Amino acid sequence: MPVQQIKHNNDGKFYHIAIDIAKEGAQLFDLTPYVKGRVGDNNFGLLVDWYRQGMLMNVNGAYKPVIDGLVGNFSFDKNGNLKMDDDASPVYSVGKPEDCGPAGQVTYYFPEQMFPKEGIFKGYLGLIDDKGNRYSGVDIWFSVLAGNARMGIACDFYISELEKIIKEAEEDLKAGQKEQQQILDEYSQKVTDLINQVNGQAADVQTTLTNLRTTIQALEAKAEKDNLFTQAEADAFKQSIIAEIDKKNAEFAKSLNSPQTEKIVDSSNWACQLPDYMMNNWNAVVNSIPHGEGIFNFGLITDNHYQPDNDYAYRSIDHYDWFGEATKAAKVDAVIVDGDNTNGANYDNKYAARFKEELYRSTANIVDLLEGACSNQSDIFWLKGNHDSGAWSANALGSQKPNPNNSLTENELLQLYHCNTSRYGEVRDNTSFYFYKDYPDVKIRLIGLNSLDDDDQLDADGNYAKKDINYHSFRQPQLNWLANTALKVPSDYQVILFFHTPLDGAFSTKNGMVNSGHLQSIIQAFIGGTSISINDVESKEPINGLNIDFTQQGPGVVIGIFNGHYHNDNYDNSLIPGVSMIEENASFNNGKVATRIRDTDSEDAWDLVSVNTKTRSVNMYRFGEGNDRHFNY
């Protein structure tokens, strides 16, 4: 591995080690001149600058440093990789919030037990928030010699707490020093201890149990291969542990189906604490969400317009946290962030020189915060709004037109919103903002569309040819995918759609949305079970020979179409007869709306929504300004 030499004095300044959470590259740094790690040292500090894909993370006040790894003797395998000896001991240390400073700076204080003798520490440096979510960088190692310490990156190494338990069981079996029942009892106790650590979060428990069942298969195979057991003994060992796991599984399944008890919110460990005057409203919304057969629940937030260091979107970062914590407490199935998630503007011109960099950082921050608050118990889908790229604010930066240098490109937004991967098993049209996800238990297909369907096409001057704050559109590839892929559902499925900008005529006629009428025609054909052909070569986004046929699958059911954009609560079922179109109020508060009073419970606005597919009814429970809503479909 290449070695990077660093000056010994660094001009009298502190050294900074850069680690990117994207885990790119593999390097070896000789830190001997300034780490000063020696046998017996206690709490020496190592300063790390944390980046995300080349941009500094905002860690101040939101995280604590974490060190996790093994300590002991080591060797190198034939490929030059570090290999810990079997007697290596686990080491785990969590720092304090004050160890995290501005501009991604985190100081790691290494406890004394990492340097008991000459040898090595191997593991990783990471970050942990108050909810227990971990963010890890590349794996590292320290070689602690007599008066010499080195740090390096070893990208192929990781050991989790569960893997440590499995390894201990394997070693005991190999040694033949313990009776089978004793091994089983100790293993089961460790499994129980792990389960207790999840603080009753049943979804996490189910994942843990699934992982445990998989490891049993691997352990049995290894035992057979090494002739540790006869086949009968291996089968008995496997069934004993599976019985223990099934017992735990049943216990937690029972707790999941038990009646809900009242939730009294304690927000002291949230990223953004909930004010006292919000607590009753928050508890009421969370406790209103039912669970049972045929019920599908989701959280819906839109038009947060997050903008740091500016009073325009007052406490909008807090709103994301309150919303995320509610979706977690209510155990919703999905979370929809329906566009204009950042403001994409620069009103005070403070960051004019580096506007794109700050917008990228702001977007990454809200994605991290909200997904951390939701705690990955739900599918989380980010949809695109007309503010999110920042292209519309180019004039404020002294440019007449937006271009890739002063706004986020389509690919950058796709990466920030995790649309370039199908994290939750959703189906996308290659890499796209639009998708669908099936929920077989309730026979619902959730469809998210992109109502800002432009491209990054440039003109002769290198500026975007189409991108504009008022350019709302659906292009032929997306409409074709919707009609011939997403809406091709089983006959007993129901469909629910989300996109940022409402169709023309639903709540306003001022949008001038390109191909709005064609999307309307597709939905009408779906609910009628009919066929149509669309040709519109005069459109700003031409459509040529789009053929659509729903006659084979018959009439379809649309639960509702949910939009944001206009910052109002609204309802329409006349534009597409029989189809409910729902407009969602904005989460953000700019201080200009008389009913949205800051520092009161009318400051925020979002919903937890419950769909009952058996009674064909929808209940929307409002947090903040506005009222609960109900409609049938």
Side-chain angles (χ1 to χ4, degrees), residues 79-107:
N79 297 318
N81 297 318
L82 290 172
K83 184 177 184 295
M84 300 299 294
D85 286 358
D86 292 339
D87 61 355
S89 301
V91 175
Y92 183 77
S93 176
V94 177
K96 302 176 181 178
E98 50 264 36
D99 297 335
C100 298
Q105 296 181 15
V106 180
T107 303

Side-chain angles (χ1 to χ4, degrees), residues 146-278:
N148 188 358
R150 288 199 312 275
M151 171 188 174
I153 298 173
C155 293
D156 295 331
F157 179 83
Y158 176 76
I159 185 165
S160 68
E161 294 299 316
L162 180 59
E163 288 168 334
K164 292 174 187 176
I165 293 173
I166 300 298
K167 181 176 176 57
E168 291 172 6
E170 284 187 0
E171 293 303 316
D172 288 338
L173 288 171
K174 284 183 179 180
Q177 296 174 350
K178 297 183 179 181
E179 294 295 329
Q180 179 176 324
Q181 186 58 48
Q182 182 183 356
I183 296 170
L184 172 61
D185 292 343
E186 292 179 358
Y187 185 92
S188 297
Q189 183 59 50
K190 290 175 181 178
V191 170
T192 301
D193 291 343
L194 274 180
I195 292 173
N196 290 337
Q197 290 175 16
V198 301
N199 297 321
Q201 297 182 20
D204 290 343
V205 170
Q206 298 296 336
T207 300
T208 301
L209 291 170
T210 300
N211 291 339
L212 287 172
R213 188 181 295 274
T214 301
T215 62
I216 299 303
Q217 302 287 344
L219 184 59
E220 179 205 11
K222 187 174 184 62
E224 288 185 58
K225 181 179 179 181
D226 294 341
N227 295 319
L228 297 177
F229 286 139
T230 65
Q231 181 62 52
E233 290 170 335
D235 288 342
F237 179 68
K238 169 185 171 183
Q239 294 303 322
S240 297
I241 294 184
I242 287 177
E244 288 293 312
I245 293 173
D246 287 341
K247 179 181 177 182
K248 299 298 179 185
N249 200 359
E251 292 173 0
F252 279 95
K254 181 179 179 180
S255 69
L256 276 176
N257 295 324
S258 62
Q260 279 190 296
T261 56
E262 184 179 2
K263 303 176 182 67
I264 304 300
V265 58
D266 176 11
S267 67
S268 59
N269 65 341
W270 295 5
C272 308
Q273 188 167 355
L274 185 68
D276 291 342
Y277 53 80
M278 292 280 198

Side-chain angles (χ1 to χ4, degrees), residues 586-604:
S587 171
F588 96 114
N589 188 323
N590 64 0
K592 297 179 181 180
V593 180
T595 58
R596 302 291 296 274
I597 304 171
R598 293 179 175 182
D599 300 318
T600 73
D601 60 3
S602 66
E603 171 190 312
D604 197 358

Side-chain angles (χ1 to χ4, degrees), residues 109-381:
Y109 294 101
F110 287 77
E112 182 178 358
Q113 64 265 33
M114 289 192 178
F115 305 105
K117 60 181 179 179
E118 294 183 44
I120 190 172
F121 161 79
K122 187 177 182 184
Y124 76 89
L125 303 180
L127 297 169
I128 189 170
D129 60 24
D130 290 336
K131 305 171 189 64
N133 301 308
R134 292 196 188 187
Y135 307 86
S136 65
V138 293
D139 295 333
I140 67 167
W141 59 266
F142 280 87
S143 178
V144 183
L145 307 176
N148 188 358
R150 288 199 312 275
M151 171 188 174
I153 298 173
C155 293
D156 295 331
F157 179 83
Y158 176 76
I159 185 165
S160 68
E161 294 299 316
L162 180 59
E163 288 168 334
K164 292 174 187 176
I165 293 173
I166 300 298
K167 181 176 176 57
E168 291 172 6
E170 284 187 0
E171 293 303 316
D172 288 338
L173 288 171
K174 284 183 179 180
Q177 296 174 350
K178 297 183 179 181
E179 294 295 329
Q180 179 176 324
Q181 186 58 48
Q182 182 183 356
I183 296 170
L184 172 61
D185 292 343
E186 292 179 358
Y187 185 92
S188 297
Q189 183 59 50
K190 290 175 181 178
V191 170
T192 301
D193 291 343
L194 274 180
I195 292 173
N196 290 337
Q197 290 175 16
V198 301
N199 297 321
Q201 297 182 20
D204 290 343
V205 170
Q206 298 296 336
T207 300
T208 301
L209 291 170
T210 300
N211 291 339
L212 287 172
R213 188 181 295 274
T214 301
T215 62
I216 299 303
Q217 302 287 344
L219 184 59
E220 179 205 11
K222 187 174 184 62
E224 288 185 58
K225 181 179 179 181
D226 294 341
N227 295 319
L228 297 177
F229 286 139
T230 65
Q231 181 62 52
E233 290 170 335
D235 288 342
F237 179 68
K238 169 185 171 183
Q239 294 303 322
S240 297
I241 294 184
I242 287 177
E244 288 293 312
I245 293 173
D246 287 341
K247 179 181 177 182
K248 299 298 179 185
N249 200 359
E251 292 173 0
F252 279 95
K254 181 179 179 180
S255 69
L256 276 176
N257 295 324
S258 62
Q260 279 190 296
T261 56
E262 184 179 2
K263 303 176 182 67
I264 304 300
V265 58
D266 176 11
S267 67
S268 59
N269 65 341
W270 295 5
C272 308
Q273 188 167 355
L274 185 68
D276 291 342
Y277 53 80
M278 292 280 198
M279 288 186 177
N280 287 338
N281 189 188
W282 192 94
N283 270 310
V285 170
V286 169
N287 283 314
S288 295
I289 299 301
H291 295 272
E293 186 178 356
I295 293 178
F296 176 74
N297 300 316
F298 63 90
L300 176 64
I301 188 170
T302 188
D303 292 89
N304 182 279
H305 287 270
Y306 171 63
Q307 181 171 304
D309 303 327
N310 191 288
D311 194 49
Y312 175 72
Y314 182 66
R315 286 210 308 199
S316 58
I317 193 72
D318 297 22
H319 298 178
Y320 274 131
D321 192 45
W322 304 341
F323 170 71
E325 292 288 350
T327 66
K328 178 170 63 177
K331 296 182 174 64
V332 302
D333 302 289
V335 172
I336 307 297
V337 195
D338 208 8
D340 283 357
N341 311 314
T342 59
N343 196 39
N346 191 47
Y347 287 115
D348 58 12
N349 222 33
K350 180 175 180 180
Y351 296 118
R354 59 181 195 279
F355 170 64
K356 177 172 179 173
E357 175 186 347
E358 291 299 325
L359 180 56
Y360 191 102
R361 181 203 302 267
S362 298
T363 306
N365 284 346
I366 63 167
V367 171
D368 276 354
L369 182 137
L370 178 56
E371 296 191 352
C374 294
S375 191
N376 291 327
Q377 291 191 88
S378 311
D379 301 339
I380 306 171
F381 301 115

Side-chain angles (χ1 to χ4, degrees), residues 146 170 416 536:
E170 284 187 0
L416 286 164
D536 186 358

Side-chain angles (χ1 to χ4, degrees), residues 507-543:
F507 311 117
S508 173
T509 58
K510 66 183 182 181
N511 267 330
M513 176 187 283
V514 179
N515 295 332
S516 173
H518 297 317
L519 175 59
Q520 180 180 330
S521 296
I522 292 172
I523 296 172
Q524 287 175 317
F526 170 74
I527 62 176
T530 61
S531 62
I532 58 173
S533 181
I534 301 176
N535 290 277
D536 186 358
V537 296
E538 301 300 323
S539 170
K540 291 182 180 179
E541 297 289 353
I543 299 178

